[in-house]
Amino acid sequence: MCEKCKGNFYITTPIYYPSAKLHIGHSYCTVATDAMARYKRMQGYHVLFLTGTDEHGQKIEDKASEAGVTPKQFVDDIVTGERGVLDLWKLMNISYDRFIRTTDDYHVEAVQKIFRKMYENGDIYKGTYKGKYCKPCESFWTESQLVDGKCPDCGREVQDAEEEAYFFRLSKYADRIRDLLENTDFLEPRSRVNEMINNFIKPGLEDLCVSRTSFTWGVPVDFDPGHVVYVWIDALFNYMTALGFQNDKYHDLEEFWPADVHFVGKEIVRFHSIIWPAMLMSLDLPLPKKVFGHGWLNFNGEKMSKSRGNVVDPYILAEHFGVDALRFFLLRSFPFGSDGNFTNEMLISTINCDLANDLGNLVSRTVAMAQKYFGEHLPAQQLEDPEKDAELVTMLRELRGKYEEQMEHYAFQNALSEIFKVISRANKYIDENMPWVLAKSEENKPRLARVLYNLLESIRICGGLLAPFMPDTSAEIAKRLGDARMDWESLGQYGVLSAEVATVNGPALFPRIDMEKELQALEEMNKTQTAEEADPLPEPLPEIAFDVFEKVEMTVVKVLACEKVKKSDKLLKFTLNDGTKEPRQILSGVAKYYAPEDLVGKTLVAVTNLAPRKMMGQLSCGMLLSAERGDKLNLVMLDDSVPAGSRLV
Ligand code: MSP
């Protein structure tokens, strides 16, 4: 730790499954973690913010094989590929300090050592697994844990499973875990403790199956080939291997373990508040100080998931509304510990009310007035009016403390409310003091200067405290106030801005959004996206040798005549010039897509060495090439300058 630092602070997000591209729900936790990390840095802590990807498991193995690539290629594409996880965090301005991939060698080797240690100390033993398995969640369940016979987490069907496997003695730690949950603040919010006690502890903790033999994409158990480590064991230890536990890549354990807080979504609280501490107890390691289980964002009242087709693409949202507005919306609109319902209407109205009207107007009006009435600098001669200024100034003096109290409890929404109370008060202060009236007489100039100073000081403090949520906007605000101080100490004090502050003009921070127009534009984009999803690419065909391809004769042909085939809705009869003296007849199923008269004279491509065959009583000598996707079809047409009889090679 550096000498000037207040202390160390280690904060983590769950590491993401790169089984599909992330949606806005996934960004929720990462944006919250980023806000917390930035807040702690601002306070003077030496912060380590860890995020990453959880890349093993059967689901990924299956998806890769569907896509015809190796699991590593599959995850590489989603993690490091274009618009992948890394790109998304860059776009969202996520200031993580370390990124772990569970396929990184150092992590894999460390997990092997950890598994062996628990085997050697007797907490992992070999047995036979019989039970239920939820493939999408990669979770094992006992009969009693199922809800209506289905996975208690996602509600989907579970499969019977029986195989030789290793088990972790979770049952041994049941009492200590119960004590941890009930008698400490380890898990928050408190409602999550009740969920854990009622759903998992009271029914009795059973030993946990921690290895699999039915697939190979995982960390191999090095002393028993054929077994791979259960993906959750592999994943949870990321929080420590990323600091150097059981590896030499990093050396930060002493400084940063135990973690100050793990932020996790509510459906994975079980893993973090029961299994994770039990494993740490088994290894006699310190437990993280806190696990915070946040709520889920739904979209228009439904669960957000790609498979349900209501994904909210963070790229589209960020491009439309701006990254800061999106980050702000996520933390301003929903209490962090509860579920929230994301709608585009709500996003736009939050941007319009809080950002365009309240914050944006306060900044642009104040800066514009300062420049209009005084030019570059405010004058040093200023006149206080204790009565008129008292309320705003007191609020400014108290704001940092109130904000801090909320932030320390991860109550982002409340912290932002405190800031916006001051912003509203400042806007009201403009109306009460009517600077445009004061500006009319020279005698009132000192009072006018003080009014504007108080407003600029309000903007400085609010803008500074907004930095963890909207880092770019906060930096822009500092610039508009002539590179004002926004360090933590200065944000707790009124009067830091120099009296002769020089302001800088600029465009509106958040232009108002036309709700109807924007909703329509988003809907159009969703339609295009859904249409693309509904027409997936066809399955690739097996490879062929070049000499097989060479045997196909593809010839350029010109349409001499074209007509409908009687009694057929599908077929058109083509009379074609194929470069020989004899016209060639081909029947093609394109009647739904073309009027026959439109095709006369066109230059097409035909396979001309196909064995002739009869269709609707007429002979077809070859096949016209066309391009098909979903319900669209286009004949392959060439430039008319290409002569009939040319070969395609
Ligand atoms: N790989 C595990 C975590 C392992 S941590 C040792 C995992 N990954 S995940 O990609 O499925 O989810 C990552 C996080 O995103 C989880 O905390 C999950 O709760 C969160 N969310 C996924 N969808 C969400 C919403 N719709 N809303 C809020 N958070 C959501 O779980």
Side-chain angles (χ1 to χ4, degrees):
M1 189 176 79
C2 58
E3 265 171 31
K4 278 204 237 135
C5 286
K6 264 196 183 170
N8 294 320
F9 190 80
Y10 180 33
I11 183 167
T12 68
T13 70
I15 50 172
Y16 291 80
Y17 274 131
S19 61
K21 297 243 152 147
L22 303 189
H23 53 63
I24 189 72
H26 292 118
S27 306
Y28 183 50
C29 186
T30 312
V31 167
T33 313
D34 186 62
M36 199 63 205
R38 287 177 186 269
Y39 158 72
K40 282 285 161 188
R41 285 189 203 112
M42 183 160 92
Q43 279 187 321
Y45 282 86
H46 179 207
V47 172
L48 200 153
F49 166 9
L50 174 74
T51 187
T53 42
D54 173 9
E55 304 187 354
H56 290 125
Q58 187 165 10
K59 189 156 73 179
I60 286 178
E61 186 173 287
D62 289 352
K63 286 221 167 188
S65 102
E66 270 167 38
V69 294
T70 65
K72 185 67 167 69
Q73 284 167 333
F74 182 84
V75 292
D76 278 352
D77 181 48
I78 298 182
V79 178
T80 59
E82 200 185 338
R83 297 203 157 198
V85 179
L86 291 178
D87 276 1
L88 179 61
W89 297 154
K90 199 164 170 201
L91 172 82
M92 297 296 289
N93 217 346
I94 303 299
S95 63
Y96 61 83
D97 299 290
R98 199 160 289 173
F99 192 96
I100 183 168
R101 301 181 62 178
T102 55
T103 49
D104 289 342
D105 287 346
Y106 76 93
H107 173 79
V108 170
E109 285 157 25
V111 168
Q112 289 181 320
K113 288 186 202 158
I114 292 163
F115 197 88
R116 184 188 277 272
K117 266 184 183 284
M118 287 197 278
Y119 179 69
E120 283 168 359
N121 76 15
D123 272 354
I124 284 183
Y125 63 92
K126 202 167 190 177
T128 307
Y129 175 75
K130 277 202 201 94
K132 303 287 177 187
Y133 184 63
C134 174
K135 207 163 155 186
C137 295
E138 315 220 23
S139 295
F140 296 101
W141 302 100
T142 57
E143 204 69 60
S144 65
Q145 287 172 328
L146 302 181
V147 177
D148 299 330
K150 304 217 166 102
C151 170
D153 271 356
C154 72
R156 278 177 277 210
E157 295 291 338
V158 289
Q159 304 165 348
D160 283 323
E162 178 170 342
E163 62 184 43
E164 186 186 67
Y166 287 92
F167 287 82
F168 171 64
R169 286 189 205 283
L170 186 58
S171 56
K172 177 173 154 189
Y173 295 97
D175 292 343
R176 284 176 69 188
I177 297 291
R178 186 174 190 146
D179 181 55
L180 176 73
L181 294 176
E182 285 184 334
N183 301 323
T184 73
D185 290 333
F186 175 74
L187 175 60
E188 280 188 21
R190 203 66 204 168
S191 56
R192 307 260 176 245
V193 172
N194 303 334
E195 284 167 28
M196 291 302 113
I197 299 287
N198 294 333
N199 300 344
F200 302 107
I201 306 281
K202 279 192 183 158
L205 278 188
E206 291 176 23
D207 289 353
L208 178 76
C209 178
V210 289
S211 80
R212 301 290 308 191
T213 51
S214 54
F215 63 92
T216 55
W217 182 240
V219 176
V221 175
D222 56 0
F223 55 88
D224 196 346
H227 286 260
V228 292
V229 175
Y230 175 38
V231 67
W232 269 102
I233 309 297
D234 165 8
L236 285 162
F237 273 99
N238 92 87
Y239 300 130
M240 288 190 74
T241 61
L243 299 181
F245 182 56
Q246 298 293 330
N247 68 80
D248 281 332
K249 182 160 168 84
Y250 298 110
H251 302 93
D252 305 303
L253 261 181
E254 220 169 277
E255 229 178 323
F256 287 105
W257 192 257
D260 289 273
V261 61
H262 295 311
F263 276 180
V264 303
K266 62 177 183 180
E267 87 292 8
I268 58 173
V269 164
R270 176 173 79 100
F271 298 99
H272 285 83
S273 67
I274 296 177
I275 298 171
W276 180 222
M279 288 193 303
L280 293 170
M281 287 171 186
S282 161
L283 293 171
D284 218 2
L285 291 165
L287 307 186
K289 293 177 201 158
K290 190 169 298 294
V291 171
F292 191 94
H294 66 77
W296 268 52
L297 289 189
N298 296 322
F299 183 63
N300 287 342
E302 279 184 55
K303 187 173 168 187
M304 213 183 276
S305 89
K306 217 175 160 99
S307 54
R308 301 207 183 186
N310 57 7
V311 180
V312 187
D313 184 337
Y315 280 96
I316 293 182
L317 292 169
E319 276 157 15
H320 265 244
F321 302 107
V323 169
D324 271 6
L326 189 57
R327 290 172 56 112
F328 173 79
F329 170 70
L330 291 175
L331 299 177
R332 163 76 162 149
S333 310
F334 317 107
F336 191 49
S338 323
D339 289 348
N341 188 28
F342 188 114
T343 66
N344 286 324
E345 286 88 335
M346 198 173 161
L347 169 60
I348 296 172
S349 73
T350 305
I351 296 176
N352 280 346
C353 293
D354 287 346
L355 300 182
N357 273 7
D358 292 356
L359 173 65
N361 271 346
L362 177 65
V363 174
S364 48
R365 282 164 90 192
T366 307
V367 169
M369 287 190 291
Q371 302 206 338
K372 182 170 168 198
Y373 302 136
F374 295 108
E376 211 180 315
H377 293 274
L378 286 192
Q381 200 198 352
Q382 301 187 352
L383 183 67
E384 274 175 54
D385 181 336
E387 215 173 284
K388 281 192 167 158
D389 297 345
E391 196 182 324
L392 180 63
V393 171
T394 308
M395 282 176 94
L396 289 176
R397 288 209 163 102
E398 290 173 355
L399 179 57
R400 194 189 80 171
K402 290 186 175 172
Y403 165 95
E404 191 173 8
E405 201 183 313
Q406 300 299 339
M407 290 298 279
E408 290 301 317
H409 292 98
Y410 318 110
F412 303 111
Q413 190 186 33
N414 295 348
L416 285 166
S417 282
E418 293 298 341
I419 298 177
F420 275 79
K421 276 185 214 160
V422 176
I423 291 177
S424 291
R425 186 65 192 87
N427 275 319
K428 197 168 141 213
Y429 179 85
I430 299 184
D431 300 335
E432 288 165 357
N433 287 282
M434 294 187 289
W436 49 93
V437 175
L438 295 174
K440 285 189 182 141
S441 88
E442 215 32 57
E443 179 193 345
N444 285 332
K445 283 278 170 90
R447 176 61 195 149
L448 174 62
R450 192 59 177 184
V451 168
L452 291 174
Y453 178 85
N454 284 339
L455 290 168
L456 291 169
E457 194 56 352
S458 308
I459 294 170
R460 180 185 70 82
I461 294 175
C462 293
L465 295 175
L466 281 171
F469 302 89
M470 300 196 287
D472 289 346
T473 304
S474 179
E476 179 60 27
I477 290 177
K479 217 169 94 194
R480 304 259 172 120
L481 306 186
D483 291 323
R485 261 183 74 186
M486 282 187 174
D487 56 278
W488 183 244
E489 194 194 340
S490 78
L491 296 175
Q493 295 164 11
Y494 164 82
V496 167
L497 211 55
S498 133
E500 288 172 281
V501 49
T503 53
V504 178
N505 228 328
L509 290 176
F510 296 95
R512 253 192 99 73
I513 298 171
D514 182 330
M515 169 87 82
E516 254 177 53
K517 243 169 101 183
E518 197 56 46
L519 286 177
Q520 229 176 348
L522 282 172
E523 205 167 294
E524 285 303 313
M525 278 173 81
N526 264 348
K527 268 194 215 151
T528 335
Q529 208 190 0
T530 327
E532 274 167 14
E533 273 158 18
D535 278 347
L537 287 175
E539 284 293 307
L541 296 174
E543 198 174 86
I544 56 166
F546 188 67
D547 62 342
V548 175
F549 167 73
E550 265 188 325
K551 288 182 187 144
V552 182
E553 182 185 83
M554 287 184 281
T555 310
V556 176
V557 294
K558 305 260 176 188
V559 182
L560 301 171
C562 184
E563 61 184 71
K564 285 197 148 189
V565 173
K566 273 183 211 135
K567 293 196 197 147
S568 168
D569 303 335
K570 286 192 187 155
L571 291 176
L572 290 184
K573 182 169 88 180
F574 289 81
T575 307
L576 304 159
N577 170 8
D578 62 3
T580 63
K581 287 190 190 117
E582 290 299 311
R584 176 184 286 267
Q585 176 169 297
I586 292 181
L587 279 85
S588 177
V590 296
K592 248 184 22 191
Y593 307 97
Y594 292 96
E597 58 275 18
D598 292 344
L599 292 172
V600 177
K602 297 284 187 222
T603 305
L604 309 178
V605 178
V607 177
T608 43
N609 63 342
L610 265 185
R613 62 177 178 143
K614 272 198 167 174
M615 298 157 91
M616 304 292 285
Q618 308 234 24
L619 199 64
S620 181
C621 301
M623 192 186 94
L624 289 171
L625 291 191
S626 58
E628 288 181 45
R629 174 100 191 260
D631 57 3
K632 291 200 190 84
L633 181 144
N634 294 84
L635 281 163
V636 174
M637 288 191 195
L638 298 181
D639 194 296
D640 289 339
S641 64
V642 186
S646 311
R647 274 288 154 73
L648 265 77
V649 286

